Amino acid sequence: MHAVELFIQDLAVIMLIAGIVTVVFNRFKQPVVLGYIVAGVIIGPHTPPFNMIQDEQTVHILSELGVIFLLFSLGLEFSLKKLAKVGATAVIVAIAEIVLMIWIGYEIGIYFGWKTMDAVFLGAMLAVSSTTIIVKALNELGMKNEKFAQIIFGILIVEDILAIGMIALLSGIATSGSVDSGEVVNTVGKLLLFMIVSLVVGILIVPRLLNYVARFKSNEMLLVTVLGILFGFCLLVMKLQYSVALGAFLVGAIMAESRQLHRIERLIEPVRDMFSAIFFVAIGLMFDPNVLAQYWLPILVITVAVVFGKLLSCGIGTFLSGHGGRTPMRVGMGLAQIGEFSFIIAALGVSLKVTSDFLYPIVVAVSAVTALLTPYLIRAADPLSARAVDLVPRKISGILGLYSNWLESLQPTGDKAELSKIIRRILLQVMVNLALVVAIFLAGAFFVDGLSAWLARWIAEMAERKAVIWGVALILSLPFLIATYRKLQALAMLLAEVGVKPELAGSYTEGVRRIVSEVIPVMSIVAIMVLIFVLSASILPPLNLLVVVLLGAAGLLWLLWSKLVKLHSRLQIALFETLDEKPDDAH
């Protein structure tokens, strides 16, 4: 009972102190998230006269649930359509921010005379903003549905993806002293593949499952089902060594396509608020005033660098991607902090024993200070942007206006815009189908040992077992391979029609168009099969068995072509129907 009593005591202290402090903050019209952090500082082990928390480890485990619920709620509010709208801007800004902040962090470390590895890891820690802090701050300020907030959410998703690649890069540098770019590309590629497959399969299955459970008219059943899917998917993401925060966001985005969205949001809100409070209190627990006193100068310099570096990189990146007015300043101010990934990278440096002991507490202090500043910076964005407009000379303002007009002129209009839209849609469908094919073969390679052991009861030879596994993967891939071929055929015909002009080809126009429309899909399928052979090398059967499998698949293709086409069409229709469904407000 002693452990249970300690846990209840810690939980009571956290909630009571957090409640009192946040009431005070609310009375003075200050952000509640700051109250949580201050509450953590008050009850933390570094604040005299005594330590109110007995088991910090349990508190930090509970705080991880806060990250999961906050990111899950963000996913529920941030549909795939919104993500598609800010995709290009998010990539441009995230890359600009990460490159500049890594360089700034490295230069700061070198300036203070720290080890090269300390400087490298510091740069990485400053590169990624805190999704959790931003989501909470924007939610409190009532700005989460504004245009700049949607851009910020898109940037945070891209940041998380790039941060996973950055962690792989840092691990390679720390262990071998060299950069393995191939490993980084492989890691990020697998993550993107996992995301695409998760979204497609999840949208086909999860909303239908939730709609079925909702028929029982029980909030309890729906909540338990939602939590089961959430934690099950997060477990899968952790097993694959990806960010649990990104996993929570993905499953939230999947559930956002369900008609039960509004019911889920209402049910999850109190649970989210409880655990997110513990998360921000846990940040306050890590804040050590002694570190602030001892390393005040590096903390001050790094904090200023984070605020101004992110304001500069994110603001310029947002403007260069075509957003003017107050949006660049708002985006820059909103992203001016560090958080969860900074702690992960700091912990990586400690575990690999390549960073100094002082670096982790410095980063925690910078994270706490920038978290405290975040709501105020977001509020200050509008008056500062108005002031900046007044200070910019007319000539520079005119040049910036010309740049915006030039970007608008590059946008295709009329028939060109429609053609561009059709081509993008076809390429997206090809990419999704190809991702599903690759995922099937990679899954076969991943589970080859278990599948081989199961097949050993009937098939003695390992080569024959591989042939069965590879053959089943190929059969499962046939609907998506057929769809890919048909989409590429449509794309080739479109490109041939547009690209081969009668005034250039003359009487050969039809013949050239026919050749182009037939060569492109065939060559593409050949390239796809080569890619499959490479990715599935570990389960690829010997040549004689491979030929048999390919001939068998060709026979199935000939016999079942129309049925496979119909199967894929039904899956595609089901996917689009789910995406087009509106949330049910009746409940």
Side-chain angles (χ1 to χ4, degrees):
M1 283 297 291
H2 182 62
V4 176
E5 287 178 7
L6 287 178
F7 172 72
I8 298 297
Q9 177 184 315
D10 288 344
L11 202 58
V13 168
I14 288 171
M15 290 303 171
L16 285 171
I17 301 297
I20 293 168
V21 174
T22 49
V23 166
V24 173
F25 270 64
N26 189 57
R27 291 283 293 173
F28 287 98
K29 298 189 181 338
Q30 299 303 309
V32 174
V33 64
L34 305 185
Y36 292 142
I37 295 172
V38 170
V41 174
I42 292 171
I43 64 179
H46 309 292
T47 306
F50 49 82
N51 181 14
M52 296 185 182
I53 298 297
Q54 304 301 316
D55 187 1
E56 282 187 53
Q57 185 61 32
T58 302
V59 174
H60 286 297
I61 291 171
L62 291 174
S63 75
E64 287 297 311
L65 294 175
V67 175
I68 290 172
F69 283 114
L70 274 169
L71 270 294
F72 175 64
S73 296
L74 172 59
L76 289 175
E77 295 163 4
F78 197 70
S79 70
L80 296 176
K81 291 174 184 175
K82 290 180 182 176
L83 180 58
K85 287 179 183 177
V86 300
T89 300
V91 171
I92 292 169
V93 176
I95 292 174
E97 175 194 5
I98 287 174
V99 170
L100 182 64
M101 294 311 300
I102 288 175
W103 175 74
I104 289 174
Y106 177 81
E107 291 297 332
I108 290 172
I110 296 299
Y111 173 79
F112 283 111
W114 297 346
K115 295 186 305 183
T116 302
M117 202 59 72
D118 285 335
V120 169
F121 270 77
L122 177 63
M125 291 174 207
L126 304 188
V128 183
S129 299
S130 172
T131 303
T132 316
I133 292 168
I134 293 169
V135 171
K136 187 69 173 177
L138 289 172
N139 193 41
E140 277 188 26
L141 296 171
M143 296 180 173
K144 64 184 178 182
N145 293 318
E146 294 194 24
K147 178 184 174 182
F148 84 96
Q150 301 303 315
I151 294 172
I152 285 176
F153 295 152
I155 293 166
L156 291 169
I157 296 163
V158 177
E159 276 186 359
D160 283 356
I161 295 168
L162 294 177
I164 290 167
M166 193 160 55
I167 288 170
L169 184 68
L170 288 170
S171 299
I173 293 173
T175 52
S176 64
S178 61
V179 178
D180 187 352
S181 56
E183 180 64 27
V184 176
V185 171
N186 183 44
T187 301
V188 174
K190 284 183 177 178
L191 174 61
L192 288 171
L193 175 67
F194 173 72
M195 288 176 63
I196 293 169
V197 173
S198 298
L199 288 170
V200 173
V201 176
I203 289 170
L204 282 171
I205 297 173
V206 173
R208 285 167 174 74
L209 174 61
L210 294 176
N211 291 341
Y212 172 76
V213 174
R215 291 178 192 170
F216 294 97
K217 310 278 186 193
S218 168
N219 284 339
E220 181 182 356
M221 286 178 64
L222 184 60
L223 177 62
V224 170
T225 303
V226 167
L227 293 178
I229 295 170
L230 169 60
F231 289 121
F233 189 77
C234 286
L235 177 62
L236 172 63
V237 169
M238 291 176 71
K239 291 287 186 183
L240 295 172
Q241 298 182 334
Y242 295 137
S243 162
V244 69
L246 188 63
F249 173 84
L250 280 177
V251 76
I254 290 168
M255 291 191 192
E257 306 303 331
S258 167
R259 290 201 304 269
Q260 312 308 318
L261 172 61
H262 298 305
R263 280 183 70 189
I264 294 169
E265 286 179 326
R266 286 195 297 270
L267 290 171
I268 213 74
E269 187 176 3
V271 185
R272 177 200 67 196
D273 290 343
M274 174 187 171
F275 286 106
S276 64
I278 296 173
F279 170 78
F280 289 106
V281 170
I283 290 179
L285 288 175
M286 293 189 290
F287 187 78
D288 187 354
N290 295 322
V291 172
L292 194 63
Q294 187 177 356
Y295 293 98
W296 68 270
L297 183 58
I299 290 170
L300 177 62
V301 171
I302 293 169
T303 300
V304 171
V306 167
V307 173
F308 285 98
K310 288 181 180 280
L311 173 59
L312 184 68
S313 59
C314 298
I316 292 175
T318 304
F319 175 76
L320 291 176
S321 61
H323 298 275
R326 297 175 298 175
T327 303
M329 181 71 78
R330 286 174 142 194
V331 171
M333 290 290 205
L335 290 163
Q337 78 295 113
I338 58 174
E340 311 85 62
F341 260 110
S342 304
F343 303 150
I344 293 169
I345 292 169
L348 176 67
V350 171
S351 65
L352 295 174
K353 299 180 180 177
V354 293
T355 56
S356 303
D357 293 338
F358 61 80
L359 199 57
Y360 192 103
I362 285 177
V363 169
V364 170
V366 172
S367 174
V369 173
T370 53
L372 288 167
L373 293 174
T374 295
Y376 300 109
L377 290 173
I378 294 172
R379 283 176 176 172
D382 286 354
L384 280 176
S385 59
R387 180 66 177 159
V389 169
D390 294 336
L391 293 174
V392 173
R394 284 187 178 180
K395 286 186 177 179
I396 295 177
S397 180
I399 292 170
L400 296 177
L402 287 172
Y403 174 78
S404 298
N405 293 334
W406 174 70
L407 279 182
E408 286 181 15
S409 69
L410 294 178
Q411 298 296 322
T413 56
D415 292 340
K416 286 185 177 180
E418 189 61 31
L419 178 64
S420 175
K421 185 178 178 181
I422 292 169
I423 291 173
R424 285 200 306 271
R425 188 188 303 127
I426 292 173
L427 288 175
L428 177 63
Q429 291 171 348
V430 167
M431 184 179 72
V432 170
N433 283 304
L434 185 56
L436 291 168
V437 171
V438 171
I440 289 169
F441 279 95
L442 288 180
F446 185 79
F447 295 110
V448 63
D449 292 335
L451 292 171
S452 181
W454 181 71
L455 289 170
R457 287 180 267 179
W458 301 281
I459 305 170
E461 293 294 326
M462 183 63 188
E464 292 176 1
R465 295 201 293 269
K466 283 186 175 182
V468 171
I469 295 169
W470 198 89
V472 170
L474 182 60
I475 291 169
L476 292 174
S477 302
L478 285 180
F480 309 110
L481 286 171
I482 291 172
T484 301
Y485 176 78
R486 284 161 58 85
K487 298 299 179 187
L488 288 169
Q489 201 173 37
L491 179 62
M493 290 172 67
L494 187 62
L495 294 175
E497 190 73 27
V498 174
V500 182
K501 303 292 185 184
E503 54 266 27
L504 295 175
S507 59
Y508 298 103
T509 300
E510 290 304 318
V512 174
R513 285 177 175 174
R514 192 178 301 113
I515 291 170
V516 170
S517 62
E518 290 177 1
V519 168
I520 289 178
V522 170
M523 294 301 294
S524 299
I525 288 296
V526 169
I528 289 168
M529 290 307 298
V530 170
L531 175 66
I532 288 171
F533 290 152
V534 172
L535 293 175
S536 61
S538 61
I539 57 171
L540 202 63
L543 184 59
N544 59 332
L545 292 174
L546 179 62
V547 171
V548 172
V549 171
L550 289 173
L551 288 173
L556 277 175
L557 207 58
W558 181 73
L559 288 171
L560 303 175
W561 178 277
S562 59
K563 290 184 179 180
L564 292 172
V565 169
K566 288 178 182 177
L567 172 62
H568 184 272
S569 297
R570 283 199 293 270
L571 291 173
Q572 185 169 288
I573 290 168
L575 182 65
F576 287 133
E577 281 179 350
T578 304
L579 289 172
D580 290 337
E581 279 181 351
K582 301 296 181 187
D584 190 354
D585 291 301
H587 297 281

